Amino acid sequence: ANVRLEKGKAYLLTDSIIYNTSQDVGYYVTGGKLINDKDTMTSREGLYYTKTDIAIAKKNVLLWNDTYRIDCDSLKYNAASKTAIFISRTHLTSDEHTIYTSSGWYDTEREISTLAQDVQLYSGSQSMFADSVYYDRVLRYGRGWNNATIIDTAQKYVIKGNYVEHHEEGGISLATDSNLLILIDDNQDSLFLHSDTIMVYFDEEHELQWGRAYNRVKFYREDMQGACDSVALVREDSTLFLFYNPVVWTDSYQLTGDTIRYMALDSSNARIDLIKSGFIVGGLYENTEFDQIKGVNITGFIKDQNLYRVDVVGNAECVYYLQEEDSTLIGINTSMTSEMRVLLDSNKIQQIRFYDSPDGKVYPDEQFEDKDRRLQDFRWLIDYRPKTIQDLYVNPIPRKKE
């Protein structure tokens, strides 16, 4: 370089320069290098405003320091604040990250940035996408706005929302505003969950430890759906807790209780506990009649997506419709006892076992009064059942029982 233009600690090296003294700006078109402490920027063409310490680099722009390498077509750089201002599609790389953005800025000294317009941030198995992102490299912390998505291919989850926060080194991450949590399962269908706020906690090894969703919760999986006002997930034993007016649907059955605990035992077996005020309802004849099982506590067992056994403990009651194989009604059975076990096949009640002397009777259909066809506290909540992922965002179940 034959020319050196200095301003404070920053200086520009180039073969030739045109300097406008009235505007305090130097032009170069044969290649230049701006050095400012740890930051070095090169480009084919550029301008350097010495009065404002602003450099504008064009064509084959490259800026690097000990942390990041930035390459793009055009870039604005403030030598006084050591800030790169993005004015074209820009690619940033470091030992930990690969980032793409079209607008925003990066403070090279404090290592913080605000990025905008189709932002993509990759770090190992984790990635973040959003219209806008704030990122602190020292804290390994990011926030995303508008169409934000966090993906972890190792932990197999996706978080979406119009506002998200994420800690790369562990801690709590959250999503609000049209959010969606997707738990990916290679062995069966993924689970999709929406609520007002979703929070997940990771340890330092990036292992998902627990999650929480609260206010207006709904979730959808092809074989199971649910709604409530608060959910807690414990990943260690694959347990899902539902609080405040919870309901779970599996095939033709609706399961409710004061609290619901769902535990995946393995890839094909699950257990569901309806804790206090347990109630199971199965729709029949286009939901005009209902099989019903009620008790203080109910435990259901699911295999290959089918409910096959129900254990009822405390004030057990049931109403179920005896049918021929072609669904012709034989009669209606009502039973009351302290405990019972209900066996099902193809989601139909096949047998009921009692542990003490039951009070029961089988009625012909025409002799069974309408007032006895619904057990006390019967509710049919089908209007709240999500049938698609889009249904998660509408018609939330009330926090309290209606």
Side-chain angles (χ1 to χ4, degrees):
N2 299 319
V3 180
R4 179 184 178 109
L5 177 61
E6 295 186 4
K7 173 66 185 299
K9 294 182 179 181
Y11 56 93
L12 173 67
L13 301 176
T14 182
D15 287 338
S16 60
I17 194 169
I18 301 171
Y19 191 81
N20 187 321
T21 56
S22 63
Q23 297 181 356
D24 296 312
V25 58
Y27 303 81
Y28 62 89
V29 293
T30 58
K33 176 187 289 186
L34 177 67
I35 300 174
N36 184 30
D37 198 8
K38 296 181 180 180
D39 293 343
T40 301
M41 182 173 69
T42 61
S43 65
R44 182 62 183 170
E45 300 176 5
L47 303 86
Y48 186 29
Y49 294 87
T50 55
K51 189 173 183 179
T52 59
D53 297 309
I54 296 293
I56 299 176
K58 300 179 180 180
K59 298 183 180 179
N60 302 324
V61 181
L62 180 63
L63 187 152
W64 71 91
N65 54 31
D66 295 338
T67 304
Y68 273 106
R69 171 190 170 99
I70 301 172
D71 59 88
C72 56
D73 178 72
S74 301
L75 183 71
K76 183 183 293 187
Y77 179 78
N78 188 319
S81 63
K82 298 180 180 177
T83 300
I85 302 166
F86 308 123
I87 56 177
S88 66
R89 193 63 177 168
T90 304
H91 179 206
L92 300 86
T93 55
S94 70
D95 292 339
E96 307 94 2
H97 301 108
T98 296
I99 300 172
Y100 297 91
T101 185
S102 297
S103 183
W105 53 266
Y106 169 54
D107 187 321
T108 64
E109 190 165 49
R110 295 186 296 162
E111 298 192 68
I112 60 174
S113 59
T114 295
L115 314 173
Q117 295 183 21
D118 188 21
V119 182
Q120 304 172 32
L121 191 155
Y122 303 90
S123 177
S125 66
Q126 300 178 350
S127 54
M128 176 185 287
F129 309 92
D131 290 349
S132 301
V133 168
Y134 167 84
Y135 183 70
D136 187 319
R137 181 181 177 274
V138 176
L139 298 178
R140 300 293 294 275
Y141 164 78
R143 295 197 300 262
W145 292 269
N146 298 328
N147 303 310
T149 301
I150 298 170
I151 300 173
D152 193 315
T153 56
Q155 295 302 311
K156 298 181 180 179
Y157 71 85
V158 178
I159 300 176
K160 296 183 177 183
N162 282 321
Y163 177 78
V164 300
E165 295 185 12
H166 183 56
H167 296 262
E168 291 179 334
E169 295 298 328
I172 293 176
S173 296
L174 67 84
T176 64
D177 190 0
S178 304
N179 61 31
L180 184 68
L181 171 65
I182 306 172
L183 299 178
I184 301 169
D185 193 325
D186 294 334
N187 297 316
Q188 55 186 345
D189 296 314
S190 299
L191 184 142
F192 299 81
L193 184 147
H194 166 72
S195 66
D196 285 359
T197 301
I198 295 173
M199 301 174 62
V200 289
Y201 178 80
F202 307 88
D203 62 18
E204 294 180 354
E205 302 299 322
H206 298 171
E207 295 282 344
L208 177 61
Q209 298 300 304
W210 57 261
R212 182 185 173 195
Y214 51 91
N215 300 134
R216 291 176 278 274
V217 180
K218 276 191 172 184
F219 62 86
Y220 174 87
R221 199 173 67 188
E222 186 171 335
D223 64 310
M224 181 181 71
Q225 303 83 42
C228 60
D229 200 64
S230 180
V231 161
L233 167 68
V234 181
R235 192 64 182 258
E236 183 178 7
D237 55 7
S238 300
T239 302
L240 195 68
F241 294 89
L242 284 68
F243 306 100
Y244 301 107
N245 199 18
V247 55
V248 170
W249 295 273
T250 174
D251 197 72
S252 61
Y253 285 96
Q254 168 191 290
L255 300 87
T256 59
D258 287 355
T259 299
I260 295 178
R261 176 174 58 205
Y262 177 88
M263 180 181 296
L265 303 177
D266 55 41
S267 61
S268 59
N269 291 277
R271 166 179 170 158
I272 186 166
D273 295 300
L274 312 179
I275 303 169
K276 294 185 179 180
S277 305
F279 210 129
I280 298 177
V281 179
L284 300 168
Y285 306 118
E286 298 183 349
N287 298 330
T288 59
E289 303 290 349
F290 302 92
D291 284 335
Q292 298 155 69
I293 304 169
K294 179 183 177 183
V296 175
N297 295 304
I298 297 178
T299 299
F301 297 89
I302 299 170
K303 183 176 179 64
D304 296 327
Q305 304 181 4
N306 291 310
L307 185 68
Y308 71 91
R309 189 181 107 197
V310 173
D311 293 340
V312 187
V313 178
N315 300 330
E317 299 180 63
C318 75
V319 172
Y320 80 97
Y321 288 68
L322 302 168
Q323 302 177 67
E324 300 283 5
E325 289 187 2
D326 63 358
S327 299
T328 300
L329 181 62
I330 299 171
I332 304 165
N333 177 284
T334 65
S335 301
M336 296 179 61
T337 184
S338 60
E339 297 182 23
M340 69 173 64
R341 173 169 290 178
V342 182
L343 303 179
L344 305 95
D345 185 25
S346 300
N347 288 308
K348 292 184 178 181
I349 296 176
Q350 299 296 315
Q351 183 181 1
I352 298 180
R353 298 176 182 175
F354 304 99
Y355 293 93
D356 53 16
S357 299
D359 179 10
K361 187 176 180 180
V362 176
Y363 294 88
D365 183 36
E366 62 275 7
Q367 296 180 16
F368 196 47
E369 297 187 29
D370 289 344
K371 65 181 180 63
D372 296 323
R373 292 175 185 257
R374 307 285 188 270
L375 294 176
Q376 186 177 356
D377 300 322
F378 171 90
R379 298 184 299 158
W380 186 238
L381 304 171
I382 193 66
D383 290 342
Y384 298 108
R385 184 176 189 174
K387 297 179 177 62
T388 65
I389 297 171
Q390 289 70 32
D391 290 342
L392 299 177
Y393 298 93
V394 297
N395 198 26
I397 198 165
R399 181 180 174 89
K400 296 182 179 180
K401 294 180 182 179
E402 296 174 320

